[in-house]
Structures are given as C-alpha cells and as structure tokens.
Amino acid sequence: ADVIMYRAFDWRTMKELAKHADVPVINGLDNMEHPCQIAADLMTVKEHRGRLKGLKLAWVGDGNNVCNSLLLATAMVGMDMSVATPKGYEPDAGVVKDARRLAKKNRTTITLTDDVEAAAKGADVLVTDTWVSMGEEAEKAKKETLFKDYQINKKLLSIADKKCVVLHCLPAHRGQEITDDVMDGPHSVVFDEAENRLHAQKAIMVRLLGKA
C-alpha cells in the first residue's frame, strides 16, 4: 500500500499502527479524534461564510472525538469556539489544554460551559453530533435523558448569528440532537458537508503522497 486509512475504537491502536507503518497512516476516526471530518467541516464553513478567521463556532452535545478535533482545528485557523456539554461530558482535558495553547498563540478563545444558550449566542457556526457514540450503547438511556436540552433547534438557532450555518457529521438522530426543521432548513449545510468529506480526504491523500 502507498497509504493506509484506519478507523479504530482506541486511539492507542492508531498510534501503534502509525509507529510501525512505513507509509502514511490517516486517522479515519478513533475514540479521541476525527480529523478528516474536521477538514471537511472547515472547508464547508469557508465555502458558506467566506472565511474562517474571526468566526465563532459553537458545539452543542457530547464532548466526543469530533469535538476534540474541532477544538484543535478552530484554534489553528483563528476561530473562537464554545463548547456546551452536560457536566461530566466535557471534551478531553489534554486536548483542551493543547487547544488553549494554540488559541492563545492565535489570539482566539475557547470556552467550556453547560449553558447551551450562552455557547450559541452570536455563533457563526453551530455543530452537533449524536449523543451516543459507537461503543457507548450501554449508556444510551442515561445520555438521552441527560442531553435532552442539548439540542440544535429553532430557538437555539435564533440566538446565533443570522447567517449561522449548521453542521452535523451524520448520520443524525432527528428529534434528539437536532430537529427536523433545522436539519432541513435554510441554515443547514449538512449535505454539502457530507460531500466535502470526499474532496477533503482526496486532498489529504494528495498531500501525503507528495503530489502537492
């Protein structure tokens, strides 16, 4: 193989593969990060908002692998990010520390809160994901109760910037983390985002193969 793309349950397995491989290893997803998804997300935001630097992105829901990667990426490109999660479901502390170091360097802010409306206020981008990630099926009932207020809906959208775009990496659980009227509404760019995974990941492969 010239390049390997790997999806793993455990980030340590990803690290082990990368350590021993003699070709580039792309992280397709693990329980700590989802960097290829974020490349597509930022591409989509730039397409629809014209820029990245200076925008505010608000995450609503579980502090999962997508949230972790967004924290690092937004800090790198000069975006502010606010994260709203129930207490105990915050993003990884080590990732937050690294992201805040990057944010300080690029003069941006990272805010963690359990207040959904505070996080969404004035946001240029609203992002969510499923409340229950793979491997967490045993927590399904508990998380559906805890997360019921951590939903992107019309009320939350009204607090954000009037040109706000809504992202979701899909598949979505309609009526849980996002409502139908938002998912199918004019602010939603989730299907452009899905298409852009193809283009973003082609670009990653081209770069790693030394073609760019």
Side-chain angles (χ1 to χ4, degrees):
D2 297 297
V3 62
I4 298 169
M5 187 168 192
Y6 184 49
R7 291 168 71 93
F9 278 105
D10 192 324
W11 66 273
R12 290 169 295 189
T13 311
M14 186 74 68
K15 291 278 190 182
E16 187 75 4
L17 175 60
K19 178 181 177 182
H20 294 286
D22 58 5
V23 296
V25 174
I26 300 171
N27 182 345
L29 171 150
D30 62 34
N31 64 332
M32 184 66 72
E33 290 196 57
H34 199 348
C36 290
Q37 177 63 51
I38 275 54
D41 290 356
L42 296 185
M43 177 182 176
T44 308
V45 173
K46 190 168 184 180
E47 280 182 343
H48 286 271
R49 294 305 306 265
R51 71 185 201 280
L52 295 173
K53 192 171 183 178
L55 296 182
K56 175 185 175 180
L57 182 146
W59 173 272
V60 177
D62 190 20
N64 63 12
N65 55 350
V66 180
C67 180
N68 285 337
S69 287
L70 270 174
L71 281 164
L72 295 168
T74 53
M76 288 176 187
V77 300
M79 297 174 71
D80 295 324
M81 183 166 170
S82 55
V83 177
T85 65
K87 290 188 186 305
Y89 291 90
E90 296 86 358
D92 180 80
V95 170
V96 172
K97 183 178 179 180
D98 288 342
R100 283 190 162 141
R101 176 178 49 81
L102 291 165
K104 184 178 181 180
K105 180 181 176 182
N106 292 318
R107 298 181 180 178
T108 63
T109 61
I110 289 172
T111 305
L112 305 186
T113 181
D114 61 355
D115 187 329
V116 180
E117 293 190 2
K121 187 175 181 181
D124 301 286
V125 187
L126 286 176
V127 193
T128 190
D129 192 6
T130 55
W131 294 336
V132 183
S133 299
M134 63 180 187
E136 295 182 345
E137 289 75 16
E139 288 192 66
K140 185 174 184 292
K142 177 185 177 184
K143 291 187 83 171
E144 285 178 358
T145 299
L146 280 172
F147 282 77
K148 62 183 175 59
D149 295 325
Y150 291 80
Q151 179 189 74
I152 297 183
N153 50 39
K154 272 196 170 179
K155 181 183 177 185
L156 197 67
L157 194 57
S158 71
I159 296 168
D161 183 82
K162 64 181 180 180
K163 294 181 180 178
C164 179
V165 295
V166 176
L167 301 177
H168 190 307
C169 63
L170 303 181
H173 292 79
R174 292 168 178 259
Q176 291 190 7
E177 71 271 7
I178 190 168
T179 57
D180 280 333
D181 52 5
V182 174
M183 180 94 166
D184 300 324
H187 295 272
S188 173
V189 294
V190 298
F191 296 114
D192 286 349
E193 177 189 8
E195 178 192 342
N196 284 340
R197 283 199 294 268
L198 171 66
H199 307 313
Q201 291 177 48
K202 286 189 298 183
I204 291 167
M205 287 192 291
V206 166
R207 183 65 176 269
L208 290 177
L209 291 169
K211 306 294 185 182

